[in-house]
Amino acid sequence: MNKNNYALIMAGGVGSRFWPVSRTEYPKQFIDFFGVGKTLIQSTYDRFLKICPPENIFVVTNEIYTDIIKEQLPGLHENQILAEPIMRNTAPCISYGSMKIASLNPDATIVVAPSDHTITNQEAFIEAIGQSLKAASENDCLITLGIKPSRPDTGYGYIQYIENTLKTDNQIHKVKIFTEKPNLELAKSFIQSGDFLWNAGIFIWSARSINKAFSRHLPEMHEIFLQGGPVYNSENEKDFISDAYQQCTNISIDFGIMEKADNVYVLPADFGWSDLGTWASIYDIAEHDYVGNAVIPAEQVMMFNSSNCMVNVPKDKLVILQGLHDYIVVESNNTLLICPRSEEQTIKQVVADVKAKFGTKFI
């Protein structure tokens, strides 16, 4: 196993679209949605154990989740948990992680990935990451993984690529443009063109290349974290980061770096990927009965004349559904949500309305 390979797992989100199961104090990355005995972050960590030495895996998260991280990933040393004092999107956490890793190993090649994705073909995923790490170690480039689309999905961002490839790897193509979530007609045209991929939000680069990209495209942020060189991996790191984050703008790595840089490449891949962004994505992956219901867990749920429902309820509760079609039914934390599947994008606004009326009690 290459000791220059590192992983930075991003685990700071609150997962509001999975409310009420996912809550601010215990968000979706720490939940076992499918009853497999592992939470999403545990599954992500286990995947990277096949790619990086365990001491080279770092998790960046909000400081309120550090105890959960320690509980769920006991193999991590405390120095491998990067605690953010406030939420500032993905660019600051990646700059922080890249600087910290570079201070340990200037020759590091890093894969950055969210903690809450599912991968059904583990072997294909490991192969794609390994191929990208090798290419990133040999070239001054920023690589992202693009998923070959199976349908015109309006819930994903898209990446268009051109024929030009890296000199050392003719499967990794130059990126032409990133496109945010399109409408259905535009998504259909993307699929028909054949040169668009879903944006998986998984990045691979050398520490040198990403830090150089920050210095060019987000110079103020780069300078903030560059000043931490003497204190990274020391007892003074936490105090430095607390001050540094107060100075950072709230910006994603996509807007801050990837859409501006001229050395961005994409590897088209297909390894059974889902970003688990909504209850619909859980529904798509879960097992269904003969009329399309996905029930997790299914021990004490009875369905009568009901179809195509996504049901997630406590194991000890008896639930009977009669005459319900195409609905989400979720109960957790003393809260019951019943919502048409077609309107699940409104859940985030529902959470905001609940907070406005009841405060944080149910959030």
Side-chain angles (χ1 to χ4, degrees):
M1 189 174 291
N2 191 331
K3 291 189 176 182
N4 287 337
N5 289 348
Y6 287 74
L8 182 65
I9 300 172
M10 298 181 291
V14 297
S16 60
R17 288 185 177 86
F18 282 102
W19 182 83
V21 172
S22 175
R23 295 200 173 195
T24 301
E25 65 180 21
Y26 213 90
K28 65 174 180 174
Q29 59 267 31
F30 306 122
I31 297 170
D32 176 9
F33 276 99
F34 300 101
V36 297
K38 288 182 181 179
T39 65
L40 297 179
I41 193 171
Q42 287 172 328
S43 296
T44 302
Y45 177 78
D46 287 351
R47 280 196 294 273
F48 284 115
L49 284 175
K50 300 174 183 177
I51 296 167
C52 311
E55 64 271 18
N56 288 9
I57 301 176
F58 292 79
V59 175
V60 58
T61 188
N62 191 287
E63 61 184 15
I64 66 175
Y65 303 136
T66 54
D67 287 342
I68 305 176
I69 296 285
K70 291 175 184 178
E71 177 187 345
Q72 295 201 359
L73 302 177
L76 284 181
H77 185 274
E78 191 163 348
N79 187 52
Q80 293 170 263
I81 302 174
L82 286 62
E84 298 181 286
I86 51 177
M87 294 182 182
R88 280 291 186 264
N89 218 314
T90 53
C93 80
I94 289 173
S95 183
Y96 171 23
S98 300
M99 284 287 188
K100 180 179 171 74
I101 290 171
S103 71
L104 292 169
N105 183 354
D107 298 321
T109 308
I110 307 166
V111 51
V112 180
S115 60
D116 52 5
H117 290 183
T118 61
I119 308 295
T120 58
N121 189 335
Q122 306 289 330
E123 292 75 17
F125 175 79
I126 292 167
E127 182 179 349
I129 296 295
Q131 179 180 351
S132 300
L133 285 166
K134 183 177 186 297
S137 70
E138 297 171 343
N139 301 270
D140 178 18
C141 63
L142 309 175
I143 299 173
T144 184
L145 296 187
I147 306 302
K148 297 174 183 177
S150 58
R151 60 188 182 277
D153 200 303
T154 60
Y156 296 139
Y158 285 74
I159 302 169
Q160 185 180 25
Y161 64 93
I162 58 179
E163 287 300 313
N164 294 6
T165 61
L166 282 174
K167 291 181 180 180
T168 61
D169 191 322
N170 61 14
Q171 293 182 315
I172 300 179
H173 293 262
K174 187 79 179 290
V175 169
K176 181 178 181 180
I177 193 170
F178 288 86
T179 302
E180 289 303 301
K181 299 173 183 178
N183 59 38
L184 183 58
E185 288 305 311
L186 195 55
K188 288 178 179 178
S189 70
F190 288 171
I191 302 301
Q192 292 170 355
S193 73
D195 58 357
F196 279 84
L197 304 164
W198 287 336
N199 185 354
I202 301 172
F203 310 103
I204 303 95
W205 39 52
S206 69
R208 289 189 178 91
S209 291
I210 188 58
N211 287 333
K212 185 165 76 172
F214 269 99
S215 70
R216 180 177 179 183
H217 301 291
L218 290 173
E220 292 181 358
M221 187 177 296
H222 175 74
E223 187 61 31
I224 290 169
F225 289 105
L226 184 64
Q227 293 173 9
V231 301
Y232 288 130
N233 307 294
S234 76
E235 60 183 14
N236 296 321
E237 180 177 329
K238 183 177 180 180
D239 289 340
F240 168 77
I241 290 301
S242 180
D243 180 63
Y245 264 70
Q246 300 295 334
Q247 304 173 55
C248 287
T249 54
N250 187 325
I251 188 170
S252 71
I253 193 71
D254 300 86
F255 286 122
I257 301 290
M258 302 302 283
E259 295 182 11
K260 298 176 182 177
D262 58 6
N263 60 336
V264 178
Y265 288 77
V266 62
L267 173 63
D270 186 5
F271 39 71
W273 168 88
S274 173
D275 73 342
L276 291 192
T278 62
W279 283 110
S281 58
I282 297 285
Y283 177 84
D284 290 340
I285 296 172
E287 292 185 9
H288 301 78
D289 65 15
Y290 70 101
V291 287
N293 296 311
V295 184
I296 310 170
E299 287 91 341
Q300 295 188 165
V301 177
M302 301 177 70
M303 311 283 286
F304 299 95
N305 186 30
S306 298
S307 63
N308 302 317
C309 290
M310 172 72 238
V311 183
N312 186 294
V313 293
K315 290 182 179 180
D316 60 351
K317 174 150 289 192
L318 173 62
V319 176
I320 298 104
L321 299 183
Q322 168 74 45
L324 206 62
H325 304 279
D326 298 292
Y327 265 77
I328 297 166
V329 180
V330 181
E331 182 181 354
S332 183
N333 302 303
N334 202 32
T335 303
L336 173 64
L337 172 72
I338 302 173
C339 172
R341 284 176 54 208
S342 61
E343 297 179 26
E344 71 160 356
Q345 294 295 339
T346 65
I347 291 177
K348 197 168 185 178
Q349 183 58 50
V350 168
V351 173
D353 292 344
V354 169
K355 185 176 181 180
K357 185 168 184 178
F358 298 104
T360 58
K361 178 181 178 181
F362 297 102
I363 306 300

